[in-house]
Amino acid sequence: MYANSTAAMSELVFYVNGKKIVEKNPSPTTLLADVLRYKLKLTGTKVSCGEGGCGSCTVMVSWFDRSTSKILHYSVNACIVPICLLHGLAVTTVEAVGSTKTRLHELQERLVSGHGIQCGFCTPGMVMSMYALLRSNPVPTELQIEHALKGNLCRCTGYRPILDAFRSFSKDSGCPMGDRCCRNKDKKNSSDVVENCNENKNESDMGKQELIFPSELQLSDVYDQQTLEFKSDEVTWLRPVCLKDLLLLKKQHPEALLAAGGTNVAFYLRNASREKPLVIIATTHITELRSFEENEDGFLVGAMTSMTLLENKLMSLIDKHSETKTRLYHSLLDALCLFGSPQIRNRATIGGSLATASRLADVNVLLLAAGSHVKIASTDGEREVKIHDFFTGKSTTCLKPNEVITDVLLPFSTQDEYCGFYKQSPRKDLTLADVNAGLLMEFEAKNSSTVKNAFFAFGGLSSMLAVAKKSSSFVIGRKLDGSLLNELMLSLANELDQFVSGDDAKSFKVAVAQGFMFKFFLKISHQRFPKLEFLRLFKEEERYLLSSQADLQQKHSGVQVYDIITNQSETDSVGQPVPHRYAKQCATGEAVFIDDILPSQGELYLTLVTSTKASAKILKIDPSKALAMKGVVGFLDHTSIISSNKTGLYLDEEIFATEKVDFVGQTIGAVVAESHEIARKAARAVVIEYEELQPITTIEDAISHNSFHSWPGDMGAINYGNVSKAFGSCDHVIEGELKVGSQEHFYMETNSVRVVPKGEDGEMDIYCGAQFATGIQMVVASALNVPCNRIVVHTKRMGGAFGGKEFRSYLVTLPSALAAHRFNRPVRCSLERRQDMQITGYRRPYLAKFKVGFNNDGKVLALSLDMYSNDGFHPEISPIFMAQSLFYSDNCYAIPNIHVRGHLCKTNLPPTTAMRGAGVPQGVLICEYWMTKIREINMYRGGDVTFISVPIEDSMTRCFDEVLKQSNYEQALVNIENFNQQSAFLKKGIAVTPVKFSPGLPPSWCMAGAIVNVYLDGSVLLYHGGVESGQGLHTKMIQIASRVFDLSIDKIHISETSTGVIPNSVTTGGSSGTDLNGGAVLDACNQLMARLKPIKDSNPNGKWEDWVKTANEQKINLSASGYYSHAYKEDFDWKTGKGRPYSYYTYGSAVTQVEIDCLSGSYVILKVDIVMDVGKSLNPAIDVGQIEGAFVMGTGLYALEEHLFGANGHLETSGAGKYHIPTISSIPLEMNVSLLKDCGNPQAVYSSKGIGEPPLLLSNSVFFAIENAVIAARRQAGLSPDFAFNSPATTKQIQSACGLGPQHLLKSLVT
């Protein structure tokens, strides 16, 4: 098989955290994350998306580069790295960086103290990305730090505290307050604290505790020289170490896949169905493919060169050669800057990118335009191919089955040659392009304006890379002037229109491609003829056009200001910015999430078998192929049910579908096996036969088919005042519609459960990351036909939830419990990301139809509003959430006459569920949509009462006035107006939004319990019914206890939430966790202090431990059970419209400024100012974190995240690669948060207020700022300011709405 006679090794050797790992004949399908988690038990490495798109699984890989005699460190995604690629390499995981048992690493310490941790699931990945950077570059710039984290997603924090903590390692970091830094003040006389002060933090202990690179790998090249061969039943993995052997293997296995960086191989290994065994040839150690050669034509790059290494080489060449000679290299750096993520760039290779022939590959389209050459080799010889001839069709190249790419020539640019790379994508990072372009233009001679040659290539327009041949030829021989630009735009539009026929985004893609050409034309005009008279550009536009992608990167900043209490005991932590109680465990990877729990002997793994049809009769369920697989233990379906097959809040859902399926993702069965991998593979082998029926999938379909869920009782409409009469007296009446898109929770930890049968009396322990432990207990007890006292639910923490683990977690829990009961063995189920997204619910989308009447002074007199929500096939809690939308149809405005109605559409989509904001984000956006121009005259004032009888506090208007002052709103308006008058294709917008939100649950749920145990050593163990999901609930409960006991928080511990300790707990949601559970904890602690009071009085100088010891000696009970029920019990009467559903509001206001690119639709959030009334904060750092995180999540809802189902009911935006939550690049460049001073709230513990959801509503200011920028563009284009603009405000919608195409811009730019 190999040219030399040495036999291939079947033993894999690599190091993990300094320990040598030897695997004899490992399975080629095994991925690094699986080895770390399931074999080595290093569960600090998390798996969230399974496709290298979120960074949770980031680890560091190190190797000794013998060509430079240096140890190189780089971050990779462990979830997509096959272990067979690791021979002779060293892997470092978060466990080796620092530990609570020894000491934390400096970067972990700073992340903890900087409040950069909430749920903590993403934290180990963040730590490892930063750690890998610091090992390579101990003192990076702030932008390098941000760049290193662009491959890591976080759904909780909003990223700002993470960036602040890590940027303290940069030399140029400092306090954002400058001379006003709190460190420059007298602490005793200052109550203003700036949270992210980095002063004096850049003295690092880096290097003092770093893991030493294995000497064996550094001193010997034996592993580099070994040929490898690993086999399984399905895959053969071969690794040659010289080009000759590679070519022989490719001749013997022409169908073989080549694995260089391996970024795509994992998908073949795990997901592809194969009719015959797969052969993979790893090219990682072929030195001939990693060579570099500079010649007179350009730079010859080995095909195995990673994108990161290519980036470094190009920067060296740019430093070495003139700007004119390296123009292509500058453009390549632009492409690489936007390529994937750091983890992907560290592995992906230039040869691999070309071989995929992807129509969206950023590098490919530029190399095509630049006329690169590709060198190809086989056992038949070598050949060189022009890249124009290399790509032959859809994902195809001219490569013969036995050929491989060896080198790629990156040509030097000539003095008269210009090139550019452009990309438009839904999100800046971690996202494939909607459209990209590689553009080249060459002129006749120095100072000539006559075009000699041109080549225009585009990606994303069709199934393959598109070359605009006619337009390229059209410009040749023409002079660079306004006439050419105008004609070129028309030519390009006509030519590209043919490429995108049949695409529903046709006009958008053609317009974006035109915009690319427009920018390129202006760029080369200014580069070649800086004083060209026929063009005039605003300075900001000139900077935007001429700067590289790297130069356009801007660092993020912000200030967080709040009061802290100074006149209290040192041990009283209430009101202090205490870090998250379990932040250190999260930073070190020690925090245990559900799938981190080590399996017990005989533990089984379950995978759901779900429907692939939206509406169909089930004709046959055949699990025979699955049951025949080795390691499969059994299959469950509706015939396995012990008691009733009915479940759900209204018992209207089936555990397992029986005769019919009503949505894609409905559970039909479950496969139980001895490993995750076997169970998932077997689940795909179960055969389901259907008879398809016609589904209803949209709101419009539901309306036309009169398909609605019924409302319980009299709910569904509110009639306040006399709307009909009011409309008759209005000066103006406007009508309109607004669509609000849905949103996926995208919590980092997918729904997971572990069920352990106790072996007697039907007892069972359930470990799950669910918000409603009692709900899980009840449905499991019902399904197993046992009393609730036999089922104990344990929840230690959740890796995010946001409502998504409140009512749908039973989807994984019930089948797992049935399997554990049947096989009498522990069973766990952890959903893969795509399945979790398809089946577990989402925020409901809305269609609103409104009619508003107002007078000439802007005072609103009447509102008539119909809201339609797409609630899927089962209503679940839709009535409650639509009720919330109706209650907030006024937002912060006094409307004397209101008639609002809610309609619950029944469709063949998965049921919607709870999500952060509970129906309020939709209702508030709808209100603000029509209220924007007439806001202030209609705002409530302190002392007013809403139409649902809830009083308004003056802090609402105080927040509004304060944020206008803080943001310098009036001056910002003037600046933006001046900017928009001067700028042709960049427009700015500003918007201010007030909100009110009432934390709470339905009145019948407003109760909580707690138990506080004091032990003989003085330590305290606290239990309550709430669940920690990253919102800091446990931390606040500990702070409450610390105040009552006047005890250091280090003495107080919370282990978990358990139904075996706290019975009948309500769900943790509605921003009510602290209000309810805090009241119960306070009650229990007060009871204990009352018992201890006589002892304290008799020994006032004693210590806590002395009092506890004495109490025990006096046989005083040191355990107390606390209980709290909300004092406010009034409810809303839907029939009469009377009553008061809420006890208080949390208030806030935000001012947001944005800048949009009218040609592409891309936007930047320039600045956000927020002022929130949180009462007297229990923990201002946690509250600020909730504000920032909620705002960024809301930015996704209103301006980024498209959650789309196809007509067939399948989720089209499934997985991290297609569903785009905000990244670091999505957040505001400047984000300032202030907590309103001198506020209180007598209706909650220590005058605090619920804060988890209210700030999310403020992010609709992003939507309206974008809309205002679009209006400015439309005004310039001579279009009406009245236009359809729905949420989310995606780049596609922005570009289309602007109506400011190149033809309009020519009028303003060309003289």
Side-chain angles (χ1 to χ4, degrees):
M1 183 174 290
Y2 294 96
N4 58 45
S5 58
T6 305
M9 298 289 294
S10 61
E11 189 174 79
L12 177 71
V13 179
F14 62 103
Y15 281 77
V16 175
N17 297 341
K19 178 182 178 181
K20 187 174 184 178
I21 308 297
V22 179
E23 290 275 339
K24 295 185 181 297
N25 198 29
S27 170
T29 62
T30 302
L31 302 177
L32 174 57
D34 296 330
V35 172
L36 296 176
R37 292 182 56 79
Y38 303 130
K39 182 169 183 177
L40 301 180
K41 313 302 181 188
L42 298 172
T43 56
T45 301
K46 310 302 181 190
V47 175
S48 179
C49 72
E51 55 185 86
C54 74
S56 293
C57 63
T58 302
V59 298
M60 185 178 78
V61 172
S62 308
W63 67 292
F64 186 68
D65 183 358
R66 303 194 187 282
S67 65
T68 60
S69 296
K70 292 182 178 179
I71 302 169
L72 303 182
H73 309 283
Y74 53 92
S75 58
V76 302
N77 297 119
C79 73
I80 59 171
V81 174
I83 59 165
C84 295
L85 281 174
L86 298 174
H87 192 67
L89 305 182
V91 177
T92 304
T93 72
V94 69
E95 286 88 350
V97 175
S99 169
T100 61
K101 298 173 184 177
T102 53
R103 60 172 291 191
L104 267 64
H105 191 281
E106 182 67 17
L107 71 88
Q108 294 167 322
E109 288 278 12
R110 295 188 191 185
L111 192 59
V112 170
S113 62
H115 309 286
I117 299 168
Q118 288 188 24
C119 86
F121 198 85
C122 73
T123 305
M126 293 282 183
V127 167
M128 292 313 299
S129 289
M130 185 64 187
Y131 182 73
L133 172 66
L134 294 177
R135 289 298 300 267
S136 301
N137 182 4
V139 189
T141 66
E142 291 188 34
L143 284 176
Q144 285 173 332
I145 290 171
E146 292 199 15
H147 198 59
L149 297 176
K150 287 184 177 181
N152 294 77
L153 299 182
C154 175
R155 195 56 150 167
C156 296
T157 65
Y159 300 103
R160 192 277 312 163
I162 298 172
L163 287 174
D164 281 353
F166 287 159
R167 69 160 52 100
S168 64
F169 287 96
S170 172
K171 277 185 177 179
D172 50 1
S173 72
C175 179
M177 294 292 284
D179 292 338
R180 293 184 294 125
C181 174
C182 59
R183 292 179 180 271
N184 297 327
K185 299 180 180 181
D186 182 352
K187 291 184 180 180
K188 293 182 179 179
N189 297 322
S190 173
S191 62
D192 284 349
V193 172
V194 180
E195 179 184 315
N196 60 354
C197 181
N198 295 323
E199 190 73 16
N200 299 326
K201 283 187 180 179
N202 49 12
E203 294 180 9
S204 172
D205 286 335
M206 283 289 293
K208 296 182 181 179
Q209 63 182 88
E210 309 305 352
L211 196 68
I212 298 173
F213 185 75
S215 58
E216 180 188 21
L217 301 183
Q218 185 170 353
L219 298 176
S220 171
D221 66 351
V222 61
Y223 298 123
D224 299 343
Q225 302 303 319
Q226 290 175 339
T227 57
L228 305 176
E229 181 177 346
F230 308 126
K231 285 187 176 183
S232 68
D233 293 338
E234 295 182 319
V235 182
T236 297
W237 184 285
L238 305 170
R239 190 193 81 169
V241 292
C242 66
L243 181 59
K244 183 178 180 180
D245 279 353
L246 171 62
L247 299 180
L248 282 173
L249 290 174
K250 201 68 173 79
K251 181 178 181 180
Q252 295 167 12
H253 305 282
E255 76 291 347
L257 294 175
L258 299 186
T263 53
N264 284 328
V265 170
F267 301 99
Y268 289 99
L269 295 177
R270 177 162 283 179
N271 300 322
S273 55
R274 292 180 285 274
E275 295 181 359
K276 59 180 181 178
L278 177 68
V279 177
I280 297 176
I281 304 174
T283 60
T284 51
H285 283 65
I286 299 174
T287 55
E288 296 98 321
L289 301 184
R290 288 190 279 122
S291 61
F292 303 98
E293 179 186 332
E294 183 181 336
N295 56 40
E296 60 182 13
D297 296 322
F299 187 49
L300 198 62
V301 180
M304 256 293 297
T305 302
S306 72
M307 297 301 185
T308 297
L309 184 55
L310 177 61
E311 204 171 6
N312 295 334
K313 292 290 184 181
L314 291 175
M315 286 190 283
S316 298
L317 289 167
I318 287 171
D319 290 339
K320 179 180 178 182
H321 296 287
S322 67
E323 182 274 335
T324 57
K325 197 172 185 178
T326 57
R327 286 177 183 146
L328 170 61
Y329 303 164
H330 282 280
S331 295
L332 273 170
L333 287 178
D334 284 346
L336 293 172
C337 184
L338 301 177
F339 183 98
S341 66
Q343 294 94 321
I344 297 296
R345 287 193 293 274
N346 289 336
R347 298 293 300 173
T349 64
I350 187 170
S353 178
L354 291 173
T356 61
S358 170
R359 68 190 182 97
L360 298 175
D362 298 332
V363 171
N364 293 6
V365 71
L366 182 58
L367 294 184
L368 180 62
S372 299
H373 288 215
V374 180
K375 288 193 173 184
I376 297 169
S378 70
T379 52
D380 298 327
E382 299 180 353
R383 63 189 180 114
E384 187 170 323
V385 179
K386 292 182 179 179
I387 200 164
H388 303 158
D389 302 318
F390 180 78
F391 299 117
T392 56
K394 180 181 178 181
S395 300
T396 60
T397 69
C398 70
L399 283 173
K400 298 174 184 177
N402 66 328
E403 290 183 322
V404 300
I405 302 172
T406 58
D407 301 280
V408 181
L409 177 66
L410 308 179
F412 286 127
S413 302
T414 67
Q415 183 176 352
D416 302 301
E417 191 175 56
Y418 299 83
C419 60
F421 170 79
Y422 300 89
K423 177 179 181 178
Q424 176 54 36
S425 55
R427 181 179 67 186
K428 193 165 187 179
D429 303 315
L430 277 173
T431 313
L432 293 174
D434 284 330
V435 186
N436 57 18
L439 307 175
L440 179 136
M441 200 177 286
E442 184 181 8
F443 293 88
E444 289 286 358
K446 186 175 182 180
N447 298 325
S448 171
S449 64
T450 303
V451 180
K452 177 182 179 182
N453 183 39
F455 198 96
F456 308 143
F458 298 91
L461 300 181
S462 63
S463 61
M464 58 183 291
L465 292 173
V467 178
K469 294 181 180 179
K470 292 181 181 179
S471 298
S472 299
S473 300
F474 173 77
V475 301
I476 295 176
R478 298 287 302 273
K479 290 186 179 296
L480 192 74
D481 56 22
S483 175
L484 175 61
L485 179 56
N486 187 38
E487 293 176 45
L488 177 58
M489 290 297 103
L490 295 173
S491 171
L492 200 62
N494 292 330
E495 185 172 8
L496 297 184
D497 189 71
Q498 302 170 23
F499 287 108
V500 289
S501 59
D503 193 322
D504 61 355
K506 179 177 181 176
S507 59
F508 164 70
K509 291 188 174 183
V510 171
V512 168
Q514 281 184 292
F516 290 162
M517 183 61 71
F518 187 83
K519 293 175 186 177
F520 180 59
F521 196 101
L522 297 185
K523 177 180 178 179
I524 59 178
S525 298
H526 276 260
Q527 284 182 329
R528 190 167 179 83
F529 306 108
K531 298 182 180 180
L532 199 62
E533 294 183 357
F534 79 87
L535 289 174
R536 56 174 180 268
L537 283 176
F538 184 42
K539 60 181 181 180
E540 289 296 320
E541 294 174 306
E542 186 172 339
R543 181 192 66 82
Y544 183 74
L545 287 172
L546 301 182
S547 299
S548 67
Q549 283 295 329
D551 290 337
L552 287 174
Q553 305 295 310
Q554 299 181 62
K555 63 184 181 181
H556 297 81
S557 64
V559 174
Q560 302 76 43
V561 180
Y562 46 77
D563 280 349
I564 67 168
I565 304 170
T566 56
N567 57 342
Q568 65 186 40
S569 164
E570 289 185 3
T571 55
D572 179 3
S573 62
V574 168
Q576 303 300 318
V578 177
H580 194 291
R581 173 63 181 82
Y582 303 101
K584 291 182 179 180
Q585 289 87 336
C586 293
T588 58
E590 296 166 25
V592 178
F593 295 86
I594 300 302
D595 204 35
D596 298 339
I597 300 173
L598 297 180
S600 56
Q601 187 172 1
E603 188 153 330
L604 301 175
Y605 299 81
L606 181 142
T607 296
L608 300 178
V609 176
T610 59
S611 168
T612 58
K613 307 298 179 184
S615 181
K617 295 179 181 178
I618 298 175
L619 302 180
K620 182 182 180 182
I621 303 173
D622 181 8
S624 57
K625 289 183 179 179
L627 291 170
M629 293 181 177
K630 184 180 179 181
V632 173
V633 175
F635 176 77
L636 305 179
D637 63 9
H638 65 91
T639 63
S640 310
I641 295 297
I642 298 170
S643 179
S644 170
N645 194 33
K646 292 293 184 180
T647 190
L649 284 180
Y650 302 105
L651 295 179
D652 59 342
E653 301 185 51
E654 293 182 317
I655 300 173
F656 296 116
T658 52
E659 300 176 350
K660 186 176 178 290
V661 291
D662 299 301
F663 53 89
V664 176
Q666 185 173 351
T667 304
I668 296 174
V671 171
V672 184
E674 294 176 351
S675 74
H676 274 311
E677 185 178 359
I678 294 171
R680 288 166 179 167
K681 181 179 176 182
R684 292 193 290 267
V686 176
V687 176
I688 313 291
E689 294 182 6
Y690 305 92
E691 178 186 327
E692 288 196 66
L693 305 173
Q694 183 62 40
I696 296 172
T697 58
T698 66
I699 291 176
E700 291 77 8
D701 286 346
I703 294 173
S704 65
H705 287 84
N706 196 32
S707 179
F708 298 100
H709 297 293
S710 59
W711 281 89
D714 297 310
M715 294 177 69
I718 303 175
N719 201 348
Y720 177 79
N722 191 327
V723 172
S724 301
K725 183 178 179 180
F727 274 122
S729 63
C730 294
D731 296 328
H732 305 279
V733 175
I734 59 173
E735 297 185 55
E737 293 187 1
L738 175 67
K739 292 181 179 179
V740 185
S742 56
Q743 185 181 31
E744 162 63 28
H745 304 85
F746 211 96
Y747 30 69
M748 299 310 292
E749 178 194 26
T750 60
N751 270 280
S752 305
V753 67
R754 180 174 184 259
V755 182
V756 182
K758 304 295 283 292
E760 59 177 301
D761 289 334
E763 292 182 346
M764 189 172 282
D765 281 335
I766 298 175
Y767 300 86
C768 65
Q771 294 171 250
F772 192 9
T774 296
I776 294 293
Q777 180 189 40
M778 293 176 66
V779 296
V780 171
S782 174
L784 298 181
N785 197 25
V786 298
C788 284
N789 62 9
R790 310 300 167 84
I791 308 298
V792 179
V793 178
H794 307 263
T795 302
K796 193 170 187 68
R797 60 174 57 86
M798 295 182 291
F802 316 112
K805 297 174 182 176
E806 198 162 357
F807 302 110
R808 307 300 294 171
S809 293
Y810 75 85
L811 291 170
V812 295
T813 306
L814 286 178
S816 300
L818 288 166
H821 175 85
R822 177 173 174 178
F823 299 109
N824 198 30
R825 292 163 68 178
V827 175
R828 76 170 66 199
C829 176
S830 182
L831 293 183
E832 292 184 292
R833 173 63 60 183
R834 290 174 183 267
Q835 188 175 51
D836 188 285
M837 293 180 70
Q838 177 70 51
I839 74 175
T840 59
Y842 46 94
R843 191 191 300 278
R844 48 197 46 79
Y846 275 43
L847 168 64
K849 299 183 179 183
F850 58 83
K851 180 180 178 182
V852 182
F854 57 96
N855 283 342
N856 290 327
D857 62 359
K859 181 65 179 176
V860 174
L861 299 181
L863 167 66
S864 176
L865 172 65
D866 285 276
M867 287 187 275
Y868 298 83
S869 59
N870 189 335
D871 294 291
F873 194 78
H874 297 289
E876 206 207 46
I877 56 168
S878 297
I880 297 174
F881 275 41
M882 177 58 83
Q884 288 281 86
S885 299
L886 300 179
F887 289 154
Y888 283 88
S889 56
D890 64 335
N891 192 21
C892 294
Y893 311 109
I895 305 169
N897 303 283
I898 296 178
H899 188 196
V900 290
R901 298 159 296 279
H903 309 272
L904 313 175
C905 296
K906 182 178 181 179
T907 62
N908 292 108
L909 294 182
T912 57
T913 192
M915 190 168 182
R916 197 176 199 170
V920 182
Q922 298 96 321
V924 167
L925 182 76
I926 292 163
C927 176
E928 290 292 329
Y929 188 74
W930 56 261
M931 182 61 82
T932 342
K933 305 293 187 297
I934 48 177
R935 175 181 292 111
E936 288 188 57
I937 193 173
N938 293 289
M939 282 184 68
Y940 287 120
R941 304 294 168 183
D944 287 350
V945 177
T946 70
F947 77 108
I948 52 173
S949 306
V950 183
I952 297 293
E953 302 165 63
D954 65 359
S955 56
M956 190 189 84
T957 50
R958 286 181 58 207
C959 285
F960 191 79
D961 295 340
E962 185 65 29
V963 83
L964 294 179
K965 178 182 177 182
Q966 177 177 301
S967 63
N968 199 7
Y969 179 74
E970 295 299 331
Q971 185 59 52
L973 275 175
V974 173
N975 295 342
I976 287 173
E977 182 64 28
N978 291 337
F979 179 94
N980 289 340
Q981 288 178 0
Q982 298 179 72
S983 178
F985 64 87
L986 297 178
K987 299 294 180 184
K988 290 184 178 181
I990 186 171
V992 55
T993 301
V995 298
K996 60 174 173 49
F997 184 99
S998 177
L1001 297 171
S1004 61
W1005 288 10
C1006 289
M1007 54 191 175
I1011 289 180
V1012 179
N1013 299 326
V1014 180
Y1015 295 92
L1016 295 180
D1017 63 353
S1019 63
V1020 177
L1021 180 61
L1022 191 159
Y1023 287 95
H1024 62 91
V1027 177
E1028 176 64 53
S1029 64
Q1031 81 280 45
L1033 179 59
H1034 284 352
T1035 307
K1036 289 184 176 181
M1037 296 304 100
I1038 290 173
Q1039 288 179 274
I1040 291 169
S1042 83
R1043 165 166 285 187
V1044 179
F1045 295 147
D1046 197 14
L1047 188 65
S1048 168
I1049 59 174
D1050 297 330
K1051 283 275 192 178
I1052 307 169
H1053 182 66
I1054 296 177
S1055 176
E1056 64 174 4
T1057 303
S1058 171
T1059 59
V1061 180
I1062 305 296
N1064 312 320
S1065 60
V1066 299
T1067 183
T1068 303
S1071 302
S1072 64
T1074 297
D1075 288 5
L1076 299 179
N1077 295 286
V1081 169
L1082 185 63
D1083 179 42
C1085 292
N1086 282 336
Q1087 290 179 43
L1088 287 167
M1089 287 307 294
R1091 297 173 196 170
L1092 291 174
K1093 186 176 185 302
I1095 297 173
K1096 288 184 64 178
D1097 291 345
S1098 64
N1099 182 16
N1101 296 322
K1103 296 180 180 179
W1104 168 260
E1105 291 81 2
D1106 300 330
W1107 301 330
V1108 169
K1109 181 180 178 182
T1110 302
N1112 183 66
E1113 291 172 350
Q1114 294 181 10
K1115 301 180 181 179
I1116 293 175
N1117 185 3
L1118 292 175
S1119 177
S1121 176
Y1123 186 77
Y1124 175 81
S1125 63
H1126 204 295
Y1128 183 79
K1129 296 183 173 65
E1130 189 176 348
D1131 204 349
F1132 185 78
D1133 187 326
W1134 287 86
K1135 189 172 184 179
T1136 63
K1138 305 296 183 182
R1140 176 179 166 184
Y1142 308 128
S1143 59
Y1144 72 88
Y1145 288 124
T1146 297
Y1147 304 100
S1149 289
V1151 172
T1152 295
Q1153 301 177 49
V1154 303
E1155 180 181 280
I1156 66 172
D1157 177 346
C1158 301
L1159 296 177
S1160 66
S1162 61
Y1163 65 88
V1164 176
I1165 305 174
L1166 300 172
K1167 185 185 179 189
V1168 171
D1169 290 278
I1170 296 173
V1171 177
M1172 291 293 302
D1173 162 25
V1174 299
K1176 292 183 179 178
S1177 174
L1178 296 175
N1179 187 318
I1182 284 178
D1183 287 348
V1184 165
Q1186 288 293 290
I1187 292 167
E1188 293 174 326
F1191 187 92
V1192 171
M1193 176 180 271
T1195 298
L1197 167 65
Y1198 294 126
L1200 177 60
E1201 299 172 35
E1202 286 191 287
H1203 187 256
L1204 304 175
F1205 285 95
N1208 61 2
H1210 283 265
L1211 182 62
E1212 295 182 341
T1213 51
S1214 180
K1218 292 184 178 180
Y1219 188 77
H1220 307 127
I1221 72 170
T1223 66
I1224 280 176
S1225 296
S1226 308
I1227 68 174
L1229 291 178
E1230 181 181 349
M1231 189 173 188
N1232 304 313
V1233 178
S1234 294
L1235 303 186
L1236 192 66
K1237 298 181 179 181
D1238 303 321
C1239 296
N1241 178 29
Q1243 302 188 64
V1245 61
Y1246 292 137
S1247 297
S1248 61
K1249 285 189 174 184
I1251 192 58
E1253 291 163 294
L1256 184 142
L1257 314 181
L1258 291 173
S1259 50
N1260 66 50
S1261 59
V1262 176
F1263 176 89
F1264 291 111
I1266 291 172
E1267 184 187 41
N1268 289 334
V1270 171
I1271 289 172
R1274 292 176 67 85
R1275 189 181 299 121
Q1276 179 177 321
L1279 301 174
S1280 169
D1282 298 321
F1283 59 102
F1285 199 65
N1286 296 309
S1287 172
T1290 61
T1291 55
K1292 176 182 174 182
Q1293 187 180 196
I1294 294 169
Q1295 191 281 328
S1296 301
C1298 281
L1300 199 60
Q1303 66 275 17
H1304 294 98
L1305 295 175
L1306 285 169
K1307 296 177 183 179
S1308 60
L1309 293 176
V1310 180
T1311 59

